[in-house]
Amino acid sequence: MKTETNMEEEYIKYIKKNRVFILGAGFSAEANIPLTNELLKLTMEKCKAECPGLYERINNYAKLCFCCDSEIDYSKVNFSDLCTFLEYIELREYGGGERWSEAGCREKLTLRFFLAKTIAERTPRDEAIPEIYIRFAEQLHEKDIVISFNWDCLLETTLEKIGKKYTYNFEKNKIKLRKLHGSVNWRLGKPEVLGKPITNNILKWEPVGFANGLMPIDTV
């Protein structure tokens, strides 16, 4: 007859065979990846420095959204409200007709670009990755499923550092990652490949370049 201790050990082994981890924004906090309010502030500062023309358009829309005549403190702005307002502006201006690109208007794409760039630049790599993430990644195995709400690639970078394989598409013999809100390394390509992830998270950033004329979607 199995003892209570033996049953508990078997139960633990069974659980470890098939586990699901759910990661929220707090997962990346220890690595100093900015959370929403700080992220938006840093993003807008970067946008202002690198793409001032479109920054002014987004900034003016933000002033309309929040009924503000003075300088906006983006660390106190409701990120969801701003994104919703930009969706409204796009709908009002284009009314379902022809937009700047199939992926959206310039303002939305610019904001997404600089959000991704800010996150990528703030994500630690190699020896800079805190030990707590190394320990977490080391105990993951190929039957684990990790559901993440984060845009950053901290977990992917950590797994690569220790030599473990992962997949976004439930490939066999790899740790399964499901990123419900998207990921900064899922870059826009031509329309026929939109939504398909690029697994290499080492991004080579180029200026948005909108201020100098329209660009094809696959160069953004």
Side-chain angles (χ1 to χ4, degrees):
M1 180 178 295
K2 294 182 179 179
T3 65
E4 184 176 338
T5 300
N6 289 338
M7 292 177 64
E8 183 178 346
E9 289 176 351
E10 288 187 11
Y11 182 64
I12 292 173
K13 288 180 180 179
Y14 177 79
I15 291 176
K16 286 185 176 180
K17 287 182 180 179
N18 298 279
R19 301 177 298 181
V20 176
F21 297 89
I22 301 177
L23 308 181
F27 176 79
S28 304
E30 187 69 21
N32 294 320
I33 296 176
L35 300 180
T36 304
N37 288 349
E38 183 187 2
L39 172 61
L40 183 58
K41 180 176 182 294
L42 293 171
T43 295
M44 293 304 290
E45 289 174 353
K46 184 173 290 293
C47 180
K48 183 178 182 179
E50 298 183 17
C51 194
L54 275 170
Y55 165 81
E56 289 301 330
R57 288 180 62 85
I58 298 171
N59 191 52
N60 287 336
Y61 284 143
K63 288 181 178 180
L64 285 175
C65 177
F66 300 107
C67 302
C68 178
D69 295 326
S70 57
E71 192 70 24
I72 292 181
D73 182 355
Y74 281 98
S75 66
K76 298 178 181 179
V77 162
N78 186 301
F79 181 73
S80 178
D81 287 349
L82 176 59
C83 292
T84 301
F85 188 76
L86 290 178
E87 294 284 351
Y88 159 74
I89 290 295
E90 181 178 15
L91 179 62
R92 188 188 71 176
E93 291 187 353
Y94 298 95
E98 184 178 352
R99 299 179 296 170
W100 178 76
S101 83
E102 293 187 14
C105 66
R106 290 180 295 174
E107 292 75 24
K108 281 170 50 180
L109 288 176
T110 300
L111 183 59
R112 290 176 189 172
F113 177 91
F114 283 107
L115 282 167
K117 185 173 183 179
T118 301
I119 291 171
E121 291 181 348
R122 293 293 180 118
T123 301
R125 299 189 62 83
D126 301 325
E127 300 305 318
I129 299 174
E131 181 63 25
I132 189 172
Y133 299 104
I134 302 294
R135 295 200 303 269
F136 176 72
E138 284 176 340
Q139 59 85 39
L140 292 175
H141 58 72
E142 63 187 35
K143 292 186 178 180
D144 286 334
I145 298 174
V146 182
I147 299 173
S148 176
F149 295 91
N150 296 342
W151 297 331
D152 64 74
C153 293
L154 176 60
L155 180 57
E156 292 95 314
T157 301
T158 306
L159 289 170
E160 289 173 1
K161 175 179 171 59
I162 64 175
K164 288 195 175 184
K165 296 181 179 180
Y166 60 88
T167 175
Y168 299 117
N169 298 309
F170 281 90
E171 299 172 55
K172 293 182 179 179
N173 304 319
K174 295 180 181 180
I175 298 165
K176 285 75 176 172
L177 304 186
R178 305 304 289 170
K179 306 188 80 169
L180 303 186
H181 289 171
S183 183
V184 298
N185 63 325
W186 296 2
R187 302 185 69 181
L188 291 174
K190 295 180 179 179
E192 61 268 20
V193 297
L194 285 176
K196 294 183 180 180
I198 297 174
T199 56
N200 184 3
N201 64 338
I202 302 174
L203 303 182
K204 296 181 179 179
W205 296 102
E206 298 178 358
V208 177
F210 293 133
N212 299 322
L214 303 185
M215 299 170 59
I217 183 173
D218 58 350
T219 64
V220 177

